[in-house]
């Protein structure tokens, strides 16, 4: 928590992230990978992202028929985590590794991002985050 207090504001951090994406993309198309994107994006202000967002959690449910955390998916598919669980850099690398080693290979060679997004959008909601209403 102390690190968060000492760091930049959320608005400044988002601006820095978008600038970094722009600078490192060098004019190439950008693809943003997030595991359980709706959860993470709910914490951010509305942002115009520089490329499409792919939710690796939804893709795992749609393509692999598994509804699991990022850590459990890495374990299931034998992907070694680099760094500390739940650190930004380690989780970002883990999501990229999951995409490159497991999810991307499930697509035919000429699949487009639109194809991937259509399947992602059709994925059933995660059972891990559903709350049961008892009508209280």
């Amino acid at each position: 928590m102390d690190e968060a207090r000492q760091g930049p504001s959320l608005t400044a951090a988002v601006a820095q992230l978008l600038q970094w994406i722009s600078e490192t993309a060098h004019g190439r198309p950008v693809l943003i990978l997030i595991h359980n994107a709706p959860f993470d994006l709910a914490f951010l202000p509305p942002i115009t992202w520089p490329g499409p967002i792919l939710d690796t959690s939804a893709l795992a449910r749609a393509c692999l028929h598994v509804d699991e955390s990022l850590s459990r998916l890495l374990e299931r598919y034998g992907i070694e985590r680099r760094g500390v669980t739940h650190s930004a850099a380690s989780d970002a690398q883990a999501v990229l590794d999951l995409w490159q080693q497991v999810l991307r290979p499930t697509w035919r060679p000429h699949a487009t991002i639109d194809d991937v997004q259509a399947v992602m959008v059709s994925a059933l909601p995660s059972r891990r985050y559903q709350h049961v209403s008892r009508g209280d």
Side-chain angles (χ1 to χ4, degrees), residues 31 33 54 56 59 79 94-105 107 113 116:
L31 179 64
L33 301 168
L54 297 185
T56 55
L59 289 171
I79 300 171
V95 169
L96 179 61
D97 290 344
L98 178 65
W99 169 253
Q100 289 178 329
Q101 296 177 36
V102 179
L103 293 168
R104 179 63 182 112
W107 294 91
I113 293 301
V116 178

Side-chain angles (χ1 to χ4, degrees), residues 84-98:
V84 179
T85 302
H86 296 302
S87 73
S90 174
D91 283 359
Q93 184 63 57
V95 169
L96 179 61
D97 290 344
L98 178 65

Side-chain angles (χ1 to χ4, degrees), residues 32-38 53-61 120:
I32 299 167
L33 301 168
I34 304 174
H35 193 77
N36 198 12
I53 294 174
L54 297 185
D55 180 358
T56 55
S57 177
L59 289 171
R61 289 191 310 276
M120 181 184 75

Side-chain angles (χ1 to χ4, degrees), residues 46-99:
I47 298 169
T48 301
W49 292 97
I53 294 174
L54 297 185
D55 180 358
T56 55
S57 177
L59 289 171
R61 289 191 310 276
C63 301
L64 308 173
H65 310 289
V66 292
D67 186 12
E68 296 177 337
S69 68
L70 178 58
S71 292
R72 179 66 187 107
L73 285 168
L74 297 176
E75 184 180 311
R76 174 186 287 269
Y77 294 100
I79 300 171
E80 187 173 329
R81 182 182 281 277
R82 301 181 233 178
V84 179
T85 302
H86 296 302
S87 73
S90 174
D91 283 359
Q93 184 63 57
V95 169
L96 179 61
D97 290 344
L98 178 65
W99 169 253

